[in-house]
Amino acid sequence: MNKIQQDYLYMLKVERKYSHYTLKSYEDDLYQFNSFLQQELLDLESFEYKDARNYLSYLYQQGLKRTTVSRKISTLRSFYEYWMTQNEEIVNPFIQLVHPKKDNYLPKFFYNEEMEAMFKTVTEDMKKGLRDRVILELLFATGMRVSELVHIRETDLDMNLPGVKVLGKGSKERFIPFGELCRQSIIKYLEEFQPARQRAHDYLIVNMNGAPLTERGVRYVLNDIVKRTTGVTEIHPHKIRHTFATHMLNEGADLRTVQSLLGHVNLSTTGRYTHVTNDQLRKVYLNAHPRAKKENN
């Protein structure tokens, strides 16, 4: 990897505080780009707009989704913008490249009965169950990212309101309220895990040895819950986040409020959940309106 690319990744990590998984995606994008340069006998300095168009075609030839291609182009456009701040002679070859249209898809989410089934699976009669319950409660009650969850400290909690302060993307801080069920789960959890958590840190979510739980650890916990839950076959942390947003909008929350709770910079990002709620509204309409269905012959 070129030194300027290494500096770029370091900037994303230190200044923009991107998560490990986001940084890994950027790094992979740069490695793939470098492989293309070697294959075509090109270098960063001589890379031009016509080469950028060829690279776009190359990505599609790999069978990648439009969303993936769009992200890779964004990575390189951002990289060259950074390089331009370090070298006035650099021109961004991706600045005029038209982004491929993103695939239209509906975010996957859990229905109420699926969430309830998972909560019933996680019992609080064991220490591990208390911890797993708090993870599930916090993710569903707040819609926060797993990267935000694992960095919560006990001092970030406000048990009177109640709610929690989280540090989101770009080091932007926000406060998210949560309900009484989540609050009670946290209280029980703190009582059981307090001795272990006071060893050397004050992170809220820990493993069975009292050390801070990693993002991978949270994913393992969620997968374990799904394996033991009848009727639920797949899960990923963002699916719970999607569920939070979908249920909030279905129950009447306005888009701006949900945007604030999720920590989205752009309202358009939150807006994709309205497709889900509109789909739900259509189903209700078709089932309820007397002239919505075709007559049976």
Side-chain angles (χ1 to χ4, degrees):
M1 177 139 341
N2 190 289
K3 184 180 183 304
I4 191 64
Q5 293 176 329
Q6 293 176 347
D7 293 342
Y8 170 66
L9 292 173
Y10 182 78
M11 180 274 294
L12 296 180
K13 178 180 180 180
V14 175
E15 295 183 18
R16 298 189 184 177
K17 300 186 184 302
Y18 283 3
S19 70
H20 168 76
Y21 290 96
T22 301
L23 287 171
K24 185 66 169 58
S25 295
Y26 275 74
E27 186 177 23
D28 290 344
D29 293 343
L30 290 176
Y31 272 123
Q32 185 173 22
F33 179 57
N34 289 346
S35 296
F36 175 80
L37 293 178
Q38 294 177 358
Q39 177 181 313
E40 299 297 320
L41 302 179
L42 298 169
D43 55 52
L44 287 174
E45 290 80 2
S46 64
F47 195 85
E48 300 175 341
Y49 170 67
K50 63 180 180 65
D51 301 315
R53 292 181 60 183
N54 289 336
Y55 185 61
L56 181 62
S57 298
Y58 166 80
L59 292 176
Y60 277 122
Q61 290 171 8
Q62 306 306 304
L64 300 175
K65 294 181 179 179
R66 283 182 291 179
T67 50
T68 303
V69 173
S70 180
R71 191 205 71 224
K72 290 179 180 293
I73 296 302
S74 293
T75 295
L76 294 170
R77 183 177 293 175
S78 174
F79 160 67
Y80 271 96
E81 286 175 357
Y82 168 78
W83 195 6
M84 290 170 64
T85 65
Q86 310 299 310
N87 188 335
E88 295 180 353
E89 297 181 359
I90 296 300
V91 177
N92 191 339
F94 290 93
I95 196 67
Q96 294 180 330
L97 195 67
V98 178
H99 262 269
K101 291 183 178 180
K102 294 183 177 180
D103 296 313
N104 292 322
Y105 73 97
L106 298 181
K108 294 182 179 180
F109 63 96
F110 292 110
Y111 290 97
N112 286 330
E113 54 269 25
E114 292 177 315
M115 287 303 307
E116 288 302 317
M118 284 192 284
F119 278 115
K120 289 178 180 178
T121 298
V122 184
T123 60
E124 296 182 315
D125 55 354
M126 296 187 299
K127 186 175 180 178
K128 182 179 181 299
L130 288 170
R131 194 278 315 276
D132 294 354
R133 180 85 177 201
V134 164
I135 290 175
L136 194 58
E137 287 279 8
L138 273 171
L139 288 176
F140 183 51
T142 66
M144 69 174 67
R145 305 174 179 92
V146 169
S147 59
E148 296 167 342
L149 174 73
V150 297
H151 287 99
I152 293 175
R153 301 174 185 270
E154 187 175 350
T155 53
D156 294 326
L157 294 170
D158 186 330
M159 303 303 285
N160 294 318
L161 280 174
V164 59
K165 178 178 66 178
V166 299
L167 196 63
K169 290 184 176 180
S171 298
K172 292 186 178 180
E173 189 176 279
R174 70 186 189 280
F175 183 83
I176 315 175
F178 52 73
E180 185 60 23
L181 290 174
C182 184
R183 178 177 177 274
Q184 289 299 324
S185 292
I186 293 174
I187 290 174
K188 293 177 183 178
Y189 165 76
L190 290 175
E191 291 174 350
E192 184 66 37
F193 279 79
Q194 196 74 25
R197 293 175 54 260
Q198 287 182 340
R199 290 176 183 174
H201 65 85
D202 63 345
Y203 286 102
L204 178 65
I205 307 299
V206 299
N207 60 26
M208 291 301 100
N209 296 319
L213 193 65
T214 63
E215 292 181 42
R216 179 177 294 181
V218 173
R219 286 172 169 78
Y220 178 84
V221 169
L222 295 177
N223 285 329
D224 183 58
I225 292 174
V226 165
K227 288 178 182 178
R228 295 184 286 114
T229 305
T230 303
V232 180
T233 57
E234 65 165 338
I235 191 172
H236 54 82
H238 255 57
K239 191 171 181 179
I240 299 180
R241 183 169 162 86
H242 297 333
T243 302
F244 166 83
T246 302
H247 288 190
M248 289 289 291
L249 290 168
N250 276 340
E251 294 301 321
D254 65 273
L255 205 58
R256 288 287 182 185
T257 298
V258 177
Q259 176 192 12
S260 177
L261 292 171
L262 292 174
H264 285 159
V265 176
N266 299 315
L267 188 63
S268 59
T269 306
T270 316
R272 62 181 171 167
Y273 295 109
T274 60
H275 295 297
V276 177
T277 54
N278 287 341
D279 184 56
Q280 176 67 15
L281 286 174
R282 178 170 175 77
K283 289 180 180 178
V284 172
Y285 171 82
L286 291 176
N287 288 327
H289 198 282
R291 296 183 63 82
K293 301 176 182 179
K294 293 182 179 180
E295 292 184 5
N296 294 324
N297 295 325

